[in-house]
């Protein structure tokens, strides 16, 4: 989709044009920014294959796209000279590229690299999660399923012009093509149907961004140094080195207070935020977060394949009670306490949506949208009517099957430490046998992505970070067979609605259709949105000018950042 959707554990919840003179490099050993994260990076530093938000930090430092959202949620040219032109029928998008851009290996970035990047996504042997970004390009079926030797719908009339031809208009075409990070076509010898090396060798990135990878360790994190082939405007990208350091949730604040870490991004823990707000050496910035924490149900196997069970579990989850309990101030500055920490979303979708955000955040009611306010009586009624009968042992059964729900969660989540005891009680009250399995975050992501492991879990939870403002993320999250459809939902009527909403240039029509999508989504309930929250970046006061926003995080804001 246009938004590079990124998964993160609930524990973690707590560009300029390339012209002009090179920025000066300082010999000051203190000119190093250390950023703390609370989960390991996978080391998948490829824009073609990454899944984790933590790996995305590295990708943002190393790679560039033709366009990028800024802190005000507006698209700005990066590799492109300007915003693209669009044909009257909406089916052709043309980008003009800046000249003189080089990858970190010294090779020139041209239109050939752009075509290569999208061609890999269309390759018949591609196994990543971004194939839906190219399915609408002319010649995709012939290339992916047939004998075509090139993806005909991308033209490169010269080294600095790229033309995308689509089979039908797409509401998010500009951001889908524009925000895709561009890879070098010389790093690997590409041959159609044989991209195993591209897929496997993802820890050796070559990008055109301001930084390049220096060292990486899954246990400790990664470091990045200047890309000497990168040209920046005077005064931009002044920080010499960036370190991403893995910390535990229990020690990250102490690391910040001691100066071992300069910056803790996207924190949602009120206790830590409060302590930072009272520390003379530390500070924070805050804004609404383009993220939702959510539960996803296994819609393919087990008791949660029954929509009635999913709805009953939703009604038995006191989300408002959880938000009120976890997202509450204790000790904090008056300035911090002015901020509303969190809310219960009406539906699992992008809370930063430009035209549907008020419905998603629950600020405006959407007729026909069931929002599942906490109601144990309603949960019991649904299960009774669905044939799940309560027995003397206090649990429900249907056709000899006990209503057992295995909840797979990531270790080290302070928010889940609040949520789990709440749902243990209410689920038991309605006759559900809740079992927990605790996994390391990346293991959880791998397990629930694996179709062969569907028999091992009924529900899990993640947080999703959205990196755009369109609504088309819903297509990948809900469309039958999409790799981002973790719930394995399959509904033909919903699929048709999703297609109709995306493949148009009529913004008003698309918006109305996505309203219908959200109503249908909540009726089928593959996902239960737990919370949305205010974003807090916590950092040492020596960090200056880090201009972040809802869809513009620290790794995308390094152009203006400085260190005292």
């Amino acid at each position: 989709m246009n938004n590079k959707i990124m998964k993160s554990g609930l524990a973690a919840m707590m560009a300029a044009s390339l012209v002009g003179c090179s920025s000066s490099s300082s010999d000051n050993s203190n000119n190093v920014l250390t950023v703390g994260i609370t989960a390991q990076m996978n080391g998948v530093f490829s824009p073609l294959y990454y899944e984790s938000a933590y790996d995305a930090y590295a990708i943002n430092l190393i790679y560039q796209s033709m366009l990028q959202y800024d802190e005000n949620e507006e698209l700005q040219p990066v590799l492109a000279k300007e915003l693209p032109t669009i044909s009257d029928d909406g089916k052709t998008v043309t980008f003009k590229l800046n000249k003189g851009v080089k990858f970190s290996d010294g090779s020139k970035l041209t239109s050939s690299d752009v075509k290569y990047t999208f061609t890999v996504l269309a390759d018949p042997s591609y196994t990543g999660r971004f194939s839906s970004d190219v399915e609408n390009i002319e010649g995709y079926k012939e290339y992916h399923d047939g004998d075509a030797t090139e993806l005909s719908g991308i033209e490169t009339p010269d080294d600095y012009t790229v033309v995308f031809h689509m089979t039908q208009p797409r509401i998010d075409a500009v951001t889908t093509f524009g925000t895709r990070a561009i890879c070098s076509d010389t790093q690997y010898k590409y041959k159609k149907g044989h991209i195993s090396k591209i897929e496997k060798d993802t820890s050796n990135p070559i990008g055109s961004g301001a930084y390049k990878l220096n060292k990486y360790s899954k246990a400790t994190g990664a470091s990045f140094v200047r890309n000497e082939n990168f040209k920046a405007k005077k005064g931009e990208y002044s920080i010499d080195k960036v370190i991403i350091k893995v910390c535990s949730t229990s020690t990250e604040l102490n690391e910040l207070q001691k100066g071992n870490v300069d910056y803790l991004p996207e924190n949602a823990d009120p206790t830590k935020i409060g302590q930072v707000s009272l520390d003379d050496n530390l500070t924070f910035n805050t804004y609404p977060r383009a993220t939702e924490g959510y539960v996803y149900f296994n819609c393919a196997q087990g008791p949660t394949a029954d929509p009635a069970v999913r709805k009953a579990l939703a009604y038995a989850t006191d989300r408002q009670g959880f938000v009120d309990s976890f997202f509450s101030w204790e000790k904090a500055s008056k300035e911090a306490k002015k901020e509303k920490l969190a809310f219960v979303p009406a539906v699992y979708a992008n809370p930063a949506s430009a035209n549907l955000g008020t419905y998603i955040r629950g600020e405006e009611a959407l007729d026909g949208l069931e929002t599942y306010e906490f109601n144990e009586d309603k949960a019991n009624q649904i299960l009774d009517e669905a044939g799940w009968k309560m027995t003397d042992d206090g649990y429900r059964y249907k056709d000899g099957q006990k209503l057992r729900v295995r909840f797979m969660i990531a270790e080290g989540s302070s928010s889940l430490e609040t949520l789990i005891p709440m749902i243990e009680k209410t689920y038991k009250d309605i006759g559900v046998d809740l079992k927990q399995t605790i996994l390391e975050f990346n293991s959880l992501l791998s397990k629930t992505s694996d179709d062969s492991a569907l028999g091992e879990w009924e529900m899990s939870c993640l947080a999703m970070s959205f990196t755009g403002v369109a609504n088309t993320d819903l297509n990948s999250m809900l469309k039958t067979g999409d790799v981002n459809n973790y719930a394995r939902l399959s509904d033909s009527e919903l699929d048709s609605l999703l297609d109709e909403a995306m493949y148009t240039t009529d913004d008003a029509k698309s918006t109305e259709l996505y309203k219908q999508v959200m109503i249908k989504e909540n009726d089928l309930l593959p996902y239960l949105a737990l919370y949305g929250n205010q974003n807090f970046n916590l950092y040492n006061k020596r960090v200056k000018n880090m201009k972040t926003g809802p869809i513009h995080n620290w790794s995308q804001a390094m152009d203006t950042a400085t260190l005292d």
Side-chain angles (χ1 to χ4, degrees), residues 1-7 47 50-51 53 56 59-60 65 67-69 129-130 133 175-176 178-181 464-468 473 484 556:
M1 297 299 98
N2 64 298
N3 300 342
K4 296 182 280 291
I5 311 173
M6 297 174 290
K7 293 93 176 174
Y50 80 100
E51 290 192 14
I59 290 167
N60 291 336
S65 51
L67 307 175
Q68 178 178 283
Y69 282 102
R129 62 192 180 95
F130 300 111
D133 287 358
T175 47
T176 295
T179 60
R180 168 66 51 206
M464 187 70 77
S465 297
F466 300 88
T467 59
D473 296 302
N484 292 296
Q556 297 161 313

Side-chain angles (χ1 to χ4, degrees), residues 23 99 104 115 153 165 180 186 221 248 314 405-406 414 423 471 521:
S23 57
K99 297 180 180 180
S104 59
K115 180 165 184 174
H165 297 283
R180 168 66 51 206
T186 61
S248 72
V405 172
R406 292 165 294 178
S414 55
I423 65 172
N471 301 309
E521 175 192 355

Side-chain angles (χ1 to χ4, degrees), residues 384-432:
D384 287 340
E385 293 173 353
W388 292 93
K389 302 302 182 184
M390 187 78 80
T391 62
D392 291 341
D393 66 357
Y395 295 106
R396 291 181 180 268
Y397 294 81
K398 182 178 181 179
D399 300 327
Q401 178 187 11
K402 187 179 186 180
L403 186 46
R404 181 187 64 173
V405 172
R406 292 165 294 178
F407 192 9
M408 195 168 282
I409 62 177
E411 63 185 0
S413 174
S414 55
S415 57
L416 287 177
E417 289 173 3
T418 299
L419 177 66
I420 294 296
M422 295 173 65
I423 65 172
E424 277 182 330
K425 179 184 183 304
T426 56
Y427 284 16
K428 178 63 174 68
D429 288 345
I430 65 169
V432 175

